[in-house]
């Protein structure tokens, strides 16, 4: 993916999250956090420092529009850090060096667990920092579980529509 296309996807995901998805809250706890898809899409052997910068700035942009005070940037930076390590677990040994993580290149059997792990990691950290308390741990689990499922369904829907 070229830098210009990556910037367009960056801006689109940021705007969609800020203008549409932040207003969705199913059952009072499940909010789709679709911007994590941007970090999932990085190819293998993309420079780790670049993934961290992209992740941080996307998180910071979403934080500015969502008024979440660094919660998104912290959790998305951690996802960006772990993405390059987790993708190696789901790739075949003879995979190309610049293979992009998608359902078309990895296959559904490898892409779904990768996307699920990264989305779950993001939601766990996002809601742990946002709540900053475990007095209402059941509500926290509902938010993490609901948001993970809703985000993963949206990611899989987008992947099924892509070529």
């Amino acid at each position: 993916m070229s830098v210009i296309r990556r910037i367009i996807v960056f801006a689109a995901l940021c705007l969609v999250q800020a203008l549409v998805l932040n207003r969705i809250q199913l059952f009072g706890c499940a909010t789709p956090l679709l911007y994590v898809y941007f970090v999932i899409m990085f190819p293998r052997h993309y420079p780790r420092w670049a993934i961290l910068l992209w992740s941080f700035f996307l998180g910071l942009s979403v934080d500015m529009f969502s008024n979440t005070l660094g919660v998104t940037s912290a959790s998305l930076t951690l996802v960006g850090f772990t993405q390059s390590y987790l993708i190696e677990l789901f790739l075949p040994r003879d995979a190309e060096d610049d293979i992009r993580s998608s359902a078309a290149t990895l296959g559904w059997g490898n892409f779904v667990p990768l996307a699920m792990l990264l989305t779950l990691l993001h939601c766990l950290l996002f809601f742990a920092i946002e709540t900053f308390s475990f007095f209402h741990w059941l509500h926290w689990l509902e938010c993490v579980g609901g948001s993970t499922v809703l985000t993963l369904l949206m990611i899989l829907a987008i992947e099924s529509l892509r070529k």
Side-chain angles (χ1 to χ4, degrees), residues 1 37 40-44 83 87 90-112 114 159-160 162-163:
M1 186 183 303
Y37 182 54
I40 294 171
M41 290 189 322
F42 280 108
R44 178 185 193 188
Q83 187 268 357
I87 194 172
F90 296 99
L91 287 175
R93 294 197 189 273
D94 58 346
E96 299 174 15
D97 283 344
D98 61 344
I99 190 169
R100 189 177 50 89
S101 56
S102 69
T105 57
L106 297 178
W108 287 101
N110 288 330
F111 179 75
V112 172
L114 173 66
E159 275 297 311
S160 67
R162 294 180 74 202
K163 37 180 167 164

Side-chain angles (χ1 to χ4, degrees), residues 46-153:
Y46 197 80
R48 287 190 176 112
W49 63 268
I51 295 174
L52 289 174
L53 283 177
W54 279 107
S55 301
F56 175 76
F57 283 115
L58 177 59
L60 189 64
S61 300
V62 172
D63 280 334
M64 287 190 299
F65 286 116
S66 304
N67 199 22
T68 50
L69 302 172
V71 174
T72 306
S73 58
S75 57
L76 202 58
T77 303
L78 178 69
V79 171
F81 178 75
T82 58
Q83 187 268 357
S84 59
Y85 296 107
L86 283 178
I87 194 172
E88 293 295 329
L89 297 175
F90 296 99
L91 287 175
R93 294 197 189 273
D94 58 346
E96 299 174 15
D97 283 344
D98 61 344
I99 190 169
R100 189 177 50 89
S101 56
S102 69
T105 57
L106 297 178
W108 287 101
N110 288 330
F111 179 75
V112 172
L114 173 66
M116 185 173 59
L117 280 173
L118 290 172
T119 304
L120 179 63
L121 176 66
H122 174 67
C123 290
L124 280 169
L125 190 60
F126 181 87
F127 288 108
I129 295 172
E130 184 184 54
T131 306
F132 209 68
S133 167
F134 289 106
F135 288 115
H136 305 287
W137 61 271
L138 190 58
H139 180 70
W140 177 76
L141 283 176
E142 290 171 346
C143 289
V144 169
S147 295
T148 300
V149 168
L150 195 56
T151 304
L152 189 61
L153 287 175

